Amino acid sequence: MPFLPKIGIIACSGEGCSGGNISRAAALKVLHELRPHKTLTICLPLFLAGDSGERGFAEIFPTITIDGCSKMCAARGTARYSSEPAVKINIEDYAGDMCLDDTERWTINHSTDIVNRIAEDVARHVDRLRKELEEGLI
Amino acid sequence: MRPQRPARNSRDRLPVEATVRMSGKRRLLIPCSGIGKAVGEVAREATRLLMEELRPGTFETVCLPLIMTDDEGDTGELVRSSEVFAIDGCPKKCATASVKHAGGEVDHGVLVVRVLAKNRSHRPESIVDIGEGGRQLARDVAMTLIEEGGV
């Protein structure tokens, strides 16, 4: 069986607003629940703090970024310090501007459905990317 | 008794007077945001404790990835002009590195694994749920930063 790389999941995880926490929760759900053996992650700031090993992460593993707001820090940071993400998810496309509301900055209270929808979409992208890798399309 | 933090949304900065010390600097609290290790979640929980329970109205925070990517905004200037408190989960010290990347300096820093080494009974379980040990460790980290920073 040929080597099939895992898919990198990178969330912005920003503490500045609820969107960051939702991105983090969705990423953790994919990593630990939906696709635990097909995905892996790296702390986004590690691209900056780390060495060439960390910066080569997105050159080895196709990545899916999950951003909590339209500033798209995870997508831009990954592209800048590693390589262009294969998929860029913006939570605003699912739920509008989550940064207008501070109530879920630290804990998920009423956005469990949004977290689940995003996580399921990310899981579908994981399956698609791995299939494309298997078929040599990417 | 310390004043309660006023209601706000996160796009508005805290009222400047709420986070300004006698030195005239705002207090900026930056955790590492790590998602790969449980100690990153502990850093995040320690930040929540400081901002919501232990010292409400004392600190403001900013998304760590924004420090890395906000070239044209005011994030870098905020970092450079503030008294910076950093909570790093692991020895990679991503929060500290990001502050330096923005041209700032960490005035008071805590490393979660170093606090853990002093009391190994307060150990996080996993990143999904740090458990009671992780929550105790987060409180240890928060108290260390309070003592270190004199806040």
Side-chain angles (χ1 to χ4, degrees), chain A residues 103-124:
Chain A
T103 57
E104 295 187 288
R105 194 173 174 189
W106 304 109
T107 54
I108 303 297
N109 300 317
H110 52 264
S111 294
T112 306
D113 287 349
I114 295 168
V115 170
N116 290 341
R117 276 174 50 211
I118 294 165
E120 283 159 13
D121 279 357
V122 170
R124 274 192 285 275

Side-chain angles (χ1 to χ4, degrees), chain B residues 2 19 21 27 29 50 54-55 58-59 83 85 108 142-151:
Chain B
R2 288 174 184 277
T19 60
R21 308 190 78 170
R27 295 187 186 99
L29 177 58
L50 284 162
L54 300 174
R55 293 293 185 271
T58 301
F59 299 101
E83 181 178 10
F85 295 71
H108 312 285
M143 294 309 295
T144 302
L145 199 59
I146 285 171
E147 288 170 20
E148 166 96 7
V151 290

Side-chain angles (χ1 to χ4, degrees), chain B residues 103-118:
Chain B
E105 287 293 330
V106 172
D107 297 289
H108 312 285
V110 177
L111 186 58
V112 173
V113 291
R114 193 165 289 159
V115 177
L116 172 63
K118 290 179 182 170

Side-chain angles (χ1 to χ4, degrees), chain A residues 11-17 20-21 24 27-28 31-32 41-49 54 69 71 73 76-77 80-81 92 97 99-102 105-106, chain B residues 5 8-11 31-37 40-41 44 47-48 51-52 60-66 68-71 92-95 97-98 101 127-128:
Chain A
C12 78
S13 286
E15 282 77 20
C17 80
N21 191 30
R24 184 182 183 87
L28 287 170
L31 289 160
H32 295 277
T41 191
I42 188 170
C43 302
L44 178 58
L46 199 51
F47 285 140
L48 179 65
E54 277 88 16
C69 77
K71 288 179 180 168
C73 295
R76 289 196 295 131
R80 179 181 297 181
Y81 296 105
E92 286 195 12
D97 189 350
C99 292
L100 295 174
D101 177 1
D102 223 9
R105 194 173 174 189
W106 304 109
Chain B
R5 190 182 69 173
R8 64 186 180 91
N9 76 52
S10 56
R11 284 274 162 90
C32 75
S33 293
I35 195 170
K37 302 182 180 78
E41 186 65 35
R44 189 179 169 86
T47 302
R48 186 199 67 77
M51 296 190 71
E52 303 269 316
E60 57 187 306
T61 190
V62 65
C63 297
L64 183 56
L66 190 58
M68 293 168 60
T69 57
D70 188 22
D71 297 330
K92 297 274 188 182
K93 300 184 93 169
C94 294
S98 297
H101 172 77
I127 188 157
V128 177

